[in-house]
Amino acid sequence: MILRAGELLGVPQGVPDPALHAGLLRYLLLALALLWVLAAGRSRPGLSLLAGVTFVLAAEGFWVLALGRPYGLFLDAALTRRAADMSVAAAGAPPGQGFLVDVPPAAEAWIPAATWLRPAAWLLLWPTLLPLLVLPVLGVLVHSLWPRREDAPVAATLCLLFSTGDLDAARGVGFVPGLWAHPGSALLLLLIMAATLVLGRLAVREVVATGLGAAAMASWLVVHGASEGLGLADATLLLTLDQVPWCLLAAWGWPRLAPAGRALILGGAALVLLSALPLGIDGWGSESFYRFGLLLASAQPLSSLLRQAAAVLGRRRALAGFAPASLSPALLVLAGAPTCFLTWWTPTRTDRLMDESREPIAERLRTAMAWVRRETPSSSVFLASPDYAPEIAVLGGRRVLRAPTLLVADDDDRRDRAEDKVLRGRALGKLGGLYGLTHVFIAPGDFLSFGIAGPEELEKRGRFRLRYRDSSELRVYELE
């Protein structure tokens, strides 16, 4: 099971180190920005787009490579529950069973997808890797589908460079920082954006195309966010002052704005206002739609200003080889790349989960869980302490009786009684066939409240057959 993006590239643990290499990242981004400027200025739209995508991938990929485990794994209960259900489903658990035996999995698209995600060794890493592609794909979509073709390079550049603002990120709804906390809904956002761009190009009246695009955004209402909402004050600021200068440029370009841009602004603004209420509507995506709408609305007026600046600069002999029309995106990159959010983004300072996810999972635990996955049937059900039950489900791919740190079942009292009987060596009686317990995983310090001073004492309490033991006294017993 691959748990670190660096393993895919053969990068050793601890490389890159944000404390040592963040400065080098900024120099790299500036070098890529200069290549982006040259490609744009030489009227190479395809090469310019590739340079922009490379810039984004480098800015985001550095921090993904710095992670020692999938984002939030064993640190955030919701993310770990999703990983546990995915792992158990992929390992062949009976249909309708989640990581807790006899409890159905969460209704999340990642879980049924786990059975066909390939390669299987990347299973737990996909939710960390896929967010890397969202912004680059969005830039390609805008570049390809924006109806005002003369403004498409500037529109795509705006989306790539300015998808996130400092104030958006400070309020917890920044687009790029939120990608890793919303890997599934980020893909839905991408689909909605693509649908809005396509609907905006239909050969119908502009008001109809705008309405269709805004209606497509209504599917975001199914994505759940904080139940308390953003708050009216935050929502108001997100719609106004937080978006300067984009809201001013968008107001200037509104009369000539394509339907897709209008749909994103109107639909996004409505979603932001709804997410301010305690309705459980996700504010991250709502604000992202609105911001992308403003950026697209800013493309035409900004292109006009940049073309005027390019016409003046084009008279200089040093820039004689650059076409005035192609200087517009080049000037935008030259001014925006060194100062944009992506260049100076340091998620390990602002995102607790990103910082704590740099800690790798202990190798002894990975080895033990690999044995569980390899040597026990997929139908097995494990009893483990709260400290190790999540690891059994996620890394071992086996269902567990209890995992109170992740989820408490409705019949937890009965499960607690079954656990008590097993650990005290008593007959399970009717509980024996209820949950189908087959194995016990135990480590030093587990189950002290049952009087078990060490893992070896479990053998004295009943018919337990030792199946696995390592030098750190991690043990797996099979119930006989």
Side-chain angles (χ1 to χ4, degrees), residues 158 238-240 243 246-251 261 264-265 289-299:
L158 284 171
L238 282 170
L239 294 175
T240 53
Q243 307 302 336
W246 309 116
C247 55
L248 300 177
L249 287 168
L264 287 168
I265 291 175
F289 289 126
Y290 179 69
R291 184 174 179 89
F292 280 120
L294 293 180
L295 293 175
L296 294 176
S298 302

Side-chain angles (χ1 to χ4, degrees), residues 197-276:
L197 290 168
V198 170
L199 291 170
R201 301 196 64 173
L202 294 178
V204 295
R205 294 176 59 187
E206 287 193 1
V207 66
V208 175
T210 300
L212 290 173
M217 296 169 61
S219 58
W220 188 256
L221 294 174
V222 304
V223 179
H224 298 293
S227 58
E228 66 272 14
L230 283 172
L232 188 58
D234 280 339
T236 302
L237 290 171
L238 282 170
L239 294 175
T240 53
L241 296 180
D242 288 2
Q243 307 302 336
V244 174
W246 309 116
C247 55
L248 300 177
L249 287 168
W252 179 6
W254 182 267
R256 296 168 297 280
L257 181 57
R262 293 185 180 183
L264 287 168
I265 291 175
L266 295 175
L271 288 170
V272 169
L273 290 174
L274 288 173
S275 64

Side-chain angles (χ1 to χ4, degrees), residues 37-283:
V37 169
L38 290 173
R42 292 290 182 180
S43 297
R44 303 281 183 86
L47 191 59
S48 173
L49 182 61
L50 178 61
V53 166
T54 304
F55 178 91
V56 172
L57 289 175
E60 297 179 347
F62 173 89
W63 301 105
V64 171
L65 285 174
L67 300 181
R69 65 179 70 192
Y71 177 83
L73 187 63
F74 305 130
L75 302 170
D76 178 82
L79 297 178
T80 306
R81 281 197 301 269
R82 182 192 64 205
D85 280 332
M86 288 176 61
S87 185
V88 166
Q97 294 256 341
F99 71 94
L100 279 185
V101 61
D102 292 342
V103 174
E108 191 172 344
W110 283 103
I111 296 164
T115 58
W116 52 264
L117 282 175
R118 294 292 182 273
W122 296 22
L123 175 70
L124 300 177
L125 206 54
W126 279 120
T128 300
L129 294 178
L130 285 181
L132 285 171
L133 303 178
V134 174
L135 184 55
V137 171
L138 184 58
V140 172
L141 286 173
V142 171
H143 192 276
S144 305
L145 298 175
W146 191 239
R148 296 180 64 93
R149 299 311 304 157
E150 67 276 14
D151 298 333
V154 169
T157 300
L158 284 171
C159 290
L160 290 173
L161 285 179
F162 301 107
S163 64
T164 306
D166 293 333
L167 294 176
D168 306 339
R171 296 188 195 281
V173 291
F175 178 72
V176 169
L179 286 171
W180 280 269
H182 304 80
S185 49
L187 297 181
L188 175 61
L189 183 145
L190 188 61
L191 291 174
I192 294 173
M193 288 285 294
T196 304
L197 290 168
V198 170
L199 291 170
R201 301 196 64 173
L202 294 178
V204 295
R205 294 176 59 187
E206 287 193 1
V207 66
V208 175
T210 300
L212 290 173
M217 296 169 61
S219 58
W220 188 256
L221 294 174
V222 304
V223 179
H224 298 293
S227 58
E228 66 272 14
L230 283 172
L232 188 58
D234 280 339
T236 302
L237 290 171
L238 282 170
L239 294 175
T240 53
L241 296 180
D242 288 2
Q243 307 302 336
V244 174
W246 309 116
C247 55
L248 300 177
L249 287 168
W252 179 6
W254 182 267
R256 296 168 297 280
L257 181 57
R262 293 185 180 183
L264 287 168
I265 291 175
L266 295 175
L271 288 170
V272 169
L273 290 174
L274 288 173
S275 64
L277 304 175
L279 301 175
I281 297 172
D282 183 70

